[in-house]
Amino acid sequence: MVGVTGGEGVPALALQGHVDVVLTGDLAKWEGSDPFAARVTGDVLHGRGACDMKAGLVANLAVARAVHRSGVRLARPLAVHCVVSEEDGGLGAFATLDRGHTAEAAVITEPTGGAVITANAGALTFRLEVSGRAAHGATRYEGVNAIEAFWPVFEAIRRLEAERNRDVPELFRGNAMPYPIEVGVVRAGDWASTVPDLLVAEGRLGVRLDEDPAEARAAFEEAVAGTAHPWLRDHPPAVTWPGGQFASGRLPAGHELLGQVNRAVAEVAGRAPEESAAPYGSDLRLYASGGIPTLHYGPGDVRFAHAPREQVELRELREVTRALALLTVRRCGVL
């Protein structure tokens, strides 16, 4: 969904956010009740999507509503982009841009914890299939356990992760691991007394800033193929790349948008925001590759995203909204 208000021509600014959220996980780990019930305690809103990124969407809509209700006439248009499917690769943003919705600059209101994020690492979803040889559990020595065969592959992945996180850019200062590799799903076996003959593992591979995703895939496949294990030499793991495929992206160096956002935040919050980079993929790289200078600034702490404790401070939501409203009026101009 795209909404535009203000003058004629290309929007001077787009505020963008995604409406989709990740799964809830184990419901027993959620405090309160329904994770979609939007529980408020004090000045904190709890629930799935509160941080990632319903609060950012609310900020964007509140800015557009405030401009409209104030009677301010923008000299150049403001656009609000609400997209789907960001969590699984960004098809919503891709479709929005492909339909010709553009802007001179964009702010994505992902949770940044008061910082301004000018660069994203990428993230590629991988799938590993490690074969074994089935046998009765009572004669397990006749089989090959796919779980045991997977373990040296997992160790090779951890070594690759350490290698790829040496000498990281200064933008990631304070982040011990900007390019993590994690296995998030493991499935093996189909009967308790049978040696499992197949293990399927799915995870994410961090892509370094300015790295071609094809090079990242090749490095991962090489590390997996080089695993030292007698069984795997003749039965190499199969690697495929389903799901989200995020390249890295960044705001062009010296672009005026950074200074404009910094000034708006400083005036509203009373402090200059820190500039940094994020270790996760996002829609930023689609906007940037489409010729739209883009950065992140939004309410919430990303450490609460995708977790059963997901939450956002309403104070921060109000602060971000005011800063974005000030940015909008200054960047779009007033008649």
Side-chain angles (χ1 to χ4, degrees), residues 78-139:
L78 165 70
V80 176
H81 296 181
C82 298
V83 303
V84 299
S85 194
E86 187 274 348
E87 296 289 359
D88 195 33
L91 287 177
F94 179 85
T96 297
L97 297 170
D98 189 55
R99 291 198 302 270
H101 298 293
T102 186
E104 293 180 0
V107 174
I108 299 177
T109 48
E110 291 275 10
T112 65
V116 173
I117 304 297
T118 57
N120 276 138
L124 308 176
T125 301
F126 62 81
R127 176 185 170 100
L128 286 167
E129 294 188 9
V130 180
S131 65
R133 184 171 62 216
H136 194 292
T139 58

Side-chain angles (χ1 to χ4, degrees), residues 167-187:
D167 303 321
V168 299
E170 176 62 20
L171 268 178
F172 285 110
R173 58 189 174 278
N175 189 322
M177 190 175 294
Y179 308 125
I181 310 174
E182 185 59 300
V183 175
V185 176
V186 176
R187 298 185 297 270

Side-chain angles (χ1 to χ4, degrees), residues 7-8 32 51 63 78 91 109 124 169 176 192 199 205 228 251 309 313 322:
E8 300 294 328
C51 174
V63 169
L78 165 70
L91 287 177
T109 48
L124 308 176
L199 179 144
L205 165 68
L251 180 75
R309 65 190 186 283
E313 292 186 14
R322 291 180 181 124

Side-chain angles (χ1 to χ4, degrees), residues 184-275:
V185 176
V186 176
R187 298 185 297 270
D190 56 11
W191 194 252
S193 62
T194 299
V195 175
D197 61 358
L198 177 66
L199 179 144
V200 177
E202 297 172 347
R204 59 96 70 192
L205 165 68
V207 179
R208 294 179 292 196
L209 284 183
D210 305 319
E211 179 181 31
D212 187 328
E215 294 179 1
R217 294 187 191 99
F220 182 85
E221 292 171 2
E222 182 179 353
V224 169
T227 303
H229 187 280
W231 172 260
L232 296 178
R233 280 199 296 268
D234 296 324
H235 306 83
V239 182
T240 53
W241 300 93
Q245 303 291 305
F246 295 86
S248 69
R250 65 165 84 208
L251 180 75
H255 193 273
E256 64 180 8
L257 180 64
L258 176 59
Q260 292 170 344
V261 172
N262 285 347
R263 286 190 292 276
V265 174
E267 290 188 33
V268 170
R271 64 185 184 281
E274 176 185 356
E275 180 188 355

